Amino acid sequence: MKRREFILSSLLAAGGTMILSGCNKKNIIKSEGEVVKRKFKDINVPLLGFGCMRLPMDGKNIDMIELEKMTEYAMMHGANYFDTAYMYVDEMSETAIGKVLKKYDRNSFILADKSPIYKMNSREDVRKIFDEQRKKCQVDYFDFYMCHNINLNTVDQYKNVKMVEELDKLKQEGKIKYFGFSFHGTPEILKDVVNDYDWDFAQLQVNYLDWDVVKAHEQYNIVQEKGIPVIVMEPLRGGGLVNLSEKAMAKLKESYPKSTPAEFGLRWAASQNNVITVLSGMSNLQQMKDNIATFENFQLMNDDEIKTADEIAKIIQSQGEINCTACKYCMEVCPKGINIPAIFSLYNQYKVTKSAFHLKIYYETLSETEKADKCIKCGLCTKNCPQNLQIPELLATVEKEYEKAKQG
Amino acid sequence: MKEKLFIIRLSIALIIFITGLIGILGIFYPLPIFNIQFTPLYQRVIIDFSIIALVLFTLFIIFTLLFGRIYCSLLCPMGIYQEIITLITKRDNEKQPNRAVKYFISAILFGVLTGGSTLLIKYIDPYTIFSSGITLTITGIITIVLIGILTIFKNRFFCTNICPVGCILGLISKISLFKMYIDKNECLSCSMCERNCPSGCIESDEQIIDNETCIKCFKCISNCPKEAIHYGIKPKEKIKYSPKRRELITTASALIVLGIAIKSGIELGKNIIKKTKEIILPPGSVDTERMYNKCLNCNLCIKACPNKILVKSNKEFEAVHIDYSKGENYCKYDCIECSKACPSGAIKKITLEEKQRTRIAMAVIDSEKCQNCRECINNCPVKAININEKGQIIINSSNCIGCGTCKKYCNNNAIEIFAINEQQRV
């Protein structure tokens, strides 16, 4: 080998090694701005949290490229709170988030996960599933960990399995930093649950529409009296407060022409003083950018704005829409596989636009097995619905309206 | 001793055949013989990841590696059936060709099976057609009769040139430890063996036995006047192995066909059926799509079901399914006979506890017809039926497993059992 060749090839080899070793390095976070943070115990939590229930999709799988872009953008702006759960996105959410966050230093992000009560048949299951979740998320500990979705139907199971005792053990072992619960039940149950443990936090559904509709303010008060800080979920009702009807939109534009519905809703939720963070289930980079902009120069709402929110809530309530947040918890149990959220969303659009033609067309795009007439009224969905909707009856209503639309 | 080898083998085979037969007919099932058949075992290995199946399957392969395709003359019900026919007809045998077509048949059938659909193989796999024929399924009867006729004229032509299982075992037999061979020093080339060989694989002039198509029936050993045919480790002859061009081309194209078949099997499995049909399936079979693609239609489960609610594939659904209008009208709570019987993994092996927590359908009460007789409450095995505050009888759908017991005991026909898309854990 000639000397020149030797030098050339060794240089190439060295370069290759450097590139390879570079791949393994944790991403360095370049700060491009900072969302507002609030102090919670001994950490600073960003006021905007990334909810991982409505991740960007590519067909049936999670769109990892978009998700990575979103994560990078969030991390660069200090929005480092990630909230996932066992059942999110057909149980794929945890794995995807684990994959994305692996590239960052463990101290640089805050990860929240939830223990699926419906999966627990015995106390051993709690730890088994916890370990499974740690594996999926590729972490040793969770910053925030919750009993997921305590409601009318899960509360018995949650008590029988003694989840609190088992999870408290895990907290003592240092595998959980802060232990709380997420809640979708009635105020009566909540009064009971808050006394079960010295909770670090509670995750509640708080937004200006639900403040009255599902008695969110009562829940909020119960928790506040106990001195438990609140994490807000569904601040925009699964997008319901983003796609406002014409009337509601006109009201918002009339009072605050510069506000967007999303910004308005998020700010409303974040303006409650007992709130640590507001989770928003973002599905693309643009939503992420918009939301982060909202929280970069965040200002508490003034009284006039809160009054406007009340008025908008009244307008929405008067339209007769179904209060579905498209969380798809019903789809988990529906034995017939009816696409309940899609049907309700179509119905809501129909209620706003009054266009029977569109209802007819879009309803036909659902596959035969997903339609409302397949309902056998077993009522499993109702038990799982966080909003306590009487789904079988509502489906019958939609079916009737659709039949009318078909004829008319 | 050597003359008796054939008789001994035949008697063992007949015993196995008869036990298997009364097993299929659901009379008495001492030995789960049909759990050690090639195709069902193979499917269980690939879809169920079952350790037991894997061990059995590996043993099966090792057994063939040691002794050649003795399965065909010892365990295969179709093989023994053919043997019985030849015993009756007693025709002279002729040399049979060893055609390459079977490799392609086998590649297509097993490719599609590996891809995830039993669609093709369930009409030709020797075990499946035999058992579906015995349980009086029309396709099974037709195939059995056709093969019977073929056997009368062409002897074991099905085994040597069509059967996909035989093809694979034949390939393994090529390198098996024990082989049939002719001792050239003893042989007189009298062609006694050739005339008696049911699979036509002996050329007595050249003193060659084709071990690929030889089904190890030992007929030749018993018939040889000079005891020149041996079954054992063949003394090494120095032959330089050089594959012919034709062999290479055949192998390559068969592999390509196999690949295409696997791919099309995957597509077939996905697209062949839409979940629109209202079909209730036995616990452990997950959903209609899976059942349709995995069930071999051997009907063993039907014979095993104590309540006789399982029905054969029919116009409604072309695989085994539950019909609550038949038999005892409900699925027994403490019974997993169908799961135990299923050799192919179409009905998963589930424990009794799992079965009692598997929802196969859903009961719904029509409150207008209900007369509050409470028979359903007394008979529900999972205590899913209660009385609400208004005094009405309601079903707690979270606990209902859809066993149909309540419907059976309902005096007013107020309960309906609905099929569900996918079986769920309660």
Side-chain angles (χ1 to χ4, degrees):
Chain A
M1 195 186 282
K2 282 179 195 153
R3 188 188 297 166
R4 179 171 298 182
E5 274 177 23
F6 174 74
I7 295 171
L8 197 67
S9 48
S10 42
L11 273 177
L12 276 175
T17 333
M18 275 168 74
I19 291 169
L20 279 178
S21 61
C23 287
N24 265 332
K25 253 192 195 147
K26 302 273 178 189
N27 281 12
I28 299 162
I29 306 153
K30 282 179 281 175
S31 180
E32 284 188 359
E34 184 87 353
V35 297
V36 179
K37 298 214 173 187
R38 279 194 185 160
K39 191 142 176 70
F40 169 72
K41 311 264 171 175
D42 45 2
I43 55 171
N44 284 318
V45 180
L47 196 47
L48 174 70
F50 185 4
C52 303
M53 186 165 88
R54 301 184 175 89
L55 292 177
M57 298 302 279
D58 182 11
K60 275 196 158 180
N61 296 316
I62 294 170
D63 182 354
M64 291 304 287
I65 300 166
E66 181 81 358
L67 179 60
E68 244 168 77
K69 276 191 214 159
M70 288 167 74
T71 313
E72 197 184 350
Y73 191 86
M75 292 296 277
M76 284 195 310
H77 293 80
N80 58 354
Y81 187 100
F82 297 85
D83 173 86
T84 184
Y86 193 87
M87 68 205 285
Y88 285 179
V89 201
D90 281 339
E91 303 185 2
M92 297 189 293
S93 173
E94 286 171 334
T95 318
I97 288 298
K99 236 186 220 168
V100 173
L101 288 181
K102 191 176 66 177
K103 295 178 189 143
Y104 297 92
D105 197 40
R106 181 64 186 90
N107 295 322
S108 66
F109 61 86
I110 302 167
L111 184 59
D113 207 338
K114 314 188 188 78
S115 193
I117 300 174
Y118 75 105
K119 279 254 174 192
M120 305 300 173
N121 294 318
S122 67
R123 211 174 140 166
E124 290 80 58
D125 285 354
V126 177
R127 188 174 281 264
K128 217 170 84 192
I129 288 184
F130 182 82
D131 286 333
E132 187 191 332
Q133 286 177 309
R134 281 199 308 163
K135 215 170 167 189
K136 276 163 95 179
C137 293
Q138 313 193 20
V139 293
D140 293 329
Y141 66 92
F142 288 112
D143 300 273
F144 289 72
Y145 198 75
M146 286 156 260
C147 297
H148 193 186
N149 186 9
I150 299 179
N151 64 27
L152 211 65
N153 302 289
T154 52
V155 68
D156 288 336
Q157 205 167 350
Y158 144 85
K159 296 222 161 170
N160 292 341
V161 181
K162 300 206 166 62
M163 284 179 84
V164 174
E165 288 174 33
E166 190 63 33
L167 289 171
D168 182 52
K169 246 197 222 164
L170 285 163
K171 193 185 166 189
Q172 304 305 334
E173 289 168 27
K175 289 173 183 162
I176 297 172
K177 274 193 164 175
Y178 308 108
F179 178 33
F181 63 95
S182 80
F183 188 82
H184 283 293
T186 57
E188 290 75 45
I189 301 174
L190 185 59
K191 270 180 205 158
D192 188 27
V193 170
V194 286
N195 290 322
D196 279 352
Y197 183 74
D198 187 15
W199 302 102
D200 291 317
F201 66 96
Q203 186 156 314
L204 300 178
Q205 176 172 333
V206 174
N207 56 56
Y208 61 82
L209 182 59
D210 286 327
W211 203 237
D212 291 320
V213 173
V214 297
K215 296 180 183 163
H217 69 282
E218 274 183 47
Q219 297 181 13
Y220 182 82
N221 290 341
I222 293 167
V223 172
Q224 197 174 24
E225 267 170 37
K226 269 269 158 190
I228 305 170
V230 171
I231 291 177
V232 173
M233 55 182 162
E234 301 286 8
L236 300 173
R237 267 198 148 268
L241 298 183
V242 179
N243 307 316
L244 290 177
S245 67
E246 244 171 76
K247 252 166 122 188
M249 193 70 183
K251 177 78 203 161
L252 178 66
K253 285 288 167 206
E254 179 197 316
S255 314
Y256 301 98
K258 278 184 192 164
S259 286
T260 65
E263 180 216 329
F264 195 74
L266 287 174
R267 275 184 57 218
W268 189 91
S271 296
Q272 309 301 322
N273 54 5
N274 196 21
V275 166
I276 318 166
T277 180
V278 175
L279 303 175
S280 174
M282 294 166 268
S283 326
N284 57 52
L285 188 58
Q286 193 51 47
Q287 291 175 358
M288 172 77 81
K289 283 180 176 167
D290 293 346
N291 287 351
I292 282 181
T294 306
F295 283 95
E296 266 178 341
N297 26 40
F298 172 76
Q299 278 169 346
L300 287 175
M301 272 195 164
N302 55 33
D303 289 349
D304 285 346
E305 282 176 305
I306 289 172
K307 215 189 240 168
T308 312
D310 280 352
E311 281 161 22
I312 296 175
K314 286 211 176 84
I315 293 172
I316 297 173
Q317 277 182 52
S318 68
Q319 284 162 344
E321 292 182 28
I322 298 167
N323 280 325
C324 170
T325 64
C327 68
K328 297 191 178 165
Y329 288 11
C330 49
M331 303 278 289
E332 300 269 328
V333 290
C334 178
K336 300 300 270 181
I338 298 167
N339 199 339
I340 299 163
I343 291 171
F344 285 172
S345 146
L346 284 178
Y347 182 75
N348 283 350
Q349 274 170 30
Y350 167 68
K351 278 283 155 190
V352 173
T353 59
K354 305 273 180 223
S355 160
F357 176 68
H358 281 107
L359 176 68
K360 205 173 89 184
I361 290 180
Y362 289 125
Y363 194 78
E364 286 302 320
T365 62
L366 294 171
S367 85
E368 210 49 55
T369 53
E370 289 178 341
K371 287 183 180 170
D373 61 338
K374 285 276 177 280
C375 177
I376 57 171
K377 301 192 170 50
C378 68
L380 275 179
C381 45
T382 311
K383 297 186 174 180
N384 242 31
C385 180
Q387 319 300 335
N388 288 324
L389 297 176
Q390 293 302 313
I391 295 172
E393 279 136 58
L394 290 169
L395 282 176
T397 320
V398 178
E399 181 64 21
K400 240 186 253 161
E401 292 272 345
Y402 165 68
E403 289 299 330
K404 249 199 268 168
K406 221 162 73 173
Q407 270 137 38
Chain B
M1 178 63 199
K2 268 196 170 175
E3 306 86 67
K4 284 180 189 156
L5 210 53
F6 170 68
I7 299 295
I8 294 169
R9 202 267 311 149
L10 187 62
S11 353
I12 298 175
L14 282 176
I15 292 170
I16 291 175
F17 182 71
I18 289 163
T19 13
L21 199 63
I22 50 180
I24 296 181
L25 295 174
I27 304 164
F28 175 55
Y29 207 2
L31 275 173
I33 288 160
F34 292 117
N35 282 355
I36 39 173
Q37 300 288 336
F38 187 85
T39 319
L41 264 185
Y42 174 69
Q43 177 164 282
R44 260 177 79 194
V45 171
I46 57 169
I47 64 169
D48 237 10
F49 310 110
S50 148
I51 301 292
I52 302 167
L54 186 66
V55 170
L56 281 174
F57 190 71
T58 322
L59 281 178
F60 195 112
I61 300 292
I62 292 173
F63 188 68
T64 314
L65 269 174
L66 287 177
F67 301 108
R69 51 186 287 193
I70 203 165
Y71 161 83
C72 302
S73 58
L74 206 59
L75 277 174
C76 176
M78 205 66 212
I80 303 162
Y81 157 76
Q82 291 182 64
E83 184 147 17
I84 293 170
I85 291 185
T86 43
L87 279 180
I88 298 166
T89 55
K90 285 202 166 146
R91 273 176 64 100
D92 250 18
N93 303 299
E94 51 195 65
K95 175 88 180 74
Q96 278 170 17
N98 180 3
R99 292 194 203 289
V101 185
K102 63 179 170 182
Y103 302 128
F104 294 96
I105 296 176
S106 184
I108 293 171
L109 295 176
F110 273 102
V112 173
L113 180 69
T114 312
S117 180
T118 55
L119 184 68
L120 299 173
I121 206 157
K122 66 181 164 194
Y123 300 115
I124 196 88
D125 170 59
Y127 152 70
T128 312
I129 41 176
F130 186 76
S131 96
S132 66
I134 287 300
T135 48
L136 305 178
T137 310
I138 294 162
T139 48
I141 294 171
I142 293 172
T143 331
I144 282 197
V145 169
L146 283 179
I147 291 174
I149 295 168
L150 185 70
T151 315
I152 293 172
F153 294 105
K154 284 287 216 177
N155 222 321
R156 301 289 282 260
F157 184 80
F158 173 78
C159 300
T160 54
N161 276 294
I162 299 174
C163 177
V165 178
C167 167
I168 289 177
L169 295 180
L171 287 174
I172 300 173
S173 275
K174 272 185 160 180
I175 52 161
S176 67
L177 187 69
F178 277 51
K179 282 194 171 96
M180 301 292 264
Y181 64 94
I182 302 176
D183 187 342
K184 290 186 178 168
N185 302 326
E186 296 275 329
C187 178
L188 301 169
S189 293
C190 68
S191 83
M192 265 305 270
C193 50
E194 192 177 331
R195 260 183 288 147
N196 275 300
C197 178
S199 51
C201 61
I202 305 175
E203 270 187 59
S204 64
D205 295 340
E206 295 179 27
Q207 298 162 342
I208 294 172
I209 298 179
D210 182 357
N211 268 288
E212 186 186 352
T213 47
C214 170
I215 51 165
K216 314 288 181 286
C217 69
F218 306 140
K219 220 171 181 177
C220 49
I221 295 183
S222 300
N223 277 317
C224 182
K226 288 286 286 177
E227 296 199 357
I229 302 177
H230 302 283
Y231 177 58
I233 301 164
K234 196 175 177 181
K236 278 214 172 126
E237 289 168 47
K238 281 199 175 167
I239 308 167
K240 204 184 168 197
Y241 180 69
S242 63
K244 292 185 195 97
R245 185 189 293 175
R246 179 169 297 187
E247 281 178 16
L248 271 177
I249 294 174
T250 313
T251 315
S253 38
L255 283 176
I256 292 169
V257 170
L258 178 70
I260 297 169
I262 291 177
K263 178 69 185 152
S264 50
I266 294 171
E267 294 299 316
L268 264 179
K270 270 191 222 153
N271 299 327
I272 204 145
I273 189 175
K274 289 208 175 91
K275 289 184 194 169
T276 44
K277 288 192 175 144
E278 306 279 313
I279 298 296
I280 304 173
L281 297 173
S285 34
V286 188
D287 59 27
T288 46
E289 193 180 327
R290 184 179 178 281
M291 190 62 175
Y292 187 91
N293 282 318
K294 304 299 174 210
C295 179
L296 287 166
N297 284 351
C298 70
N299 301 341
L300 277 190
C301 49
I302 296 179
K303 294 293 170 188
C305 178
N307 279 2
K308 303 287 166 225
I309 48 167
L310 285 170
V311 291
K312 282 182 236 171
S313 94
N314 53 21
K315 260 188 223 155
E316 294 275 298
F317 184 62
E318 287 172 10
V320 172
H321 56 276
I322 288 179
D323 188 342
Y324 277 139
S325 63
K326 298 268 159 59
E328 295 283 321
N329 308 104
Y330 72 99
C331 178
K332 229 170 149 185
Y333 185 58
D334 49 359
C335 159
I336 44 167
E337 289 303 322
C338 51
S339 161
K340 272 194 208 158
C342 182
S344 69
I347 305 175
K348 282 188 194 162
K349 301 280 174 217
I350 53 172
T351 61
L352 189 60
E353 194 214 5
E354 278 176 302
K355 180 242 154 92
Q356 292 173 346
R357 304 194 59 153
T358 303
R359 176 180 299 141
I360 55 171
M362 181 72 93
V364 175
I365 294 188
D366 184 346
S367 51
E368 283 173 15
K369 285 188 193 164
C370 176
Q371 302 288 331
N372 272 11
C373 69
R374 306 195 178 184
E375 278 297 325
C376 51
I377 301 182
N378 299 335
N379 285 298
C380 177
V382 287
K383 308 269 171 271
I385 310 180
N386 309 308
I387 300 175
N388 70 359
E389 313 88 64
K390 291 177 209 155
Q392 287 174 317
I393 291 178
I394 51 157
I395 293 186
N396 178 1
S397 43
S398 317
N399 292 349
C400 177
I401 56 169
C403 64
T405 318
C406 49
K407 185 177 168 70
K408 181 179 167 70
Y409 287 99
C410 181
N411 294 323
N412 305 301
N413 203 14
I415 295 175
E416 198 166 341
I417 311 288
F418 287 95
I420 59 176
N421 279 7
E422 195 179 338
Q423 296 184 347
Q424 298 163 319
R425 282 264 301 187
V426 178

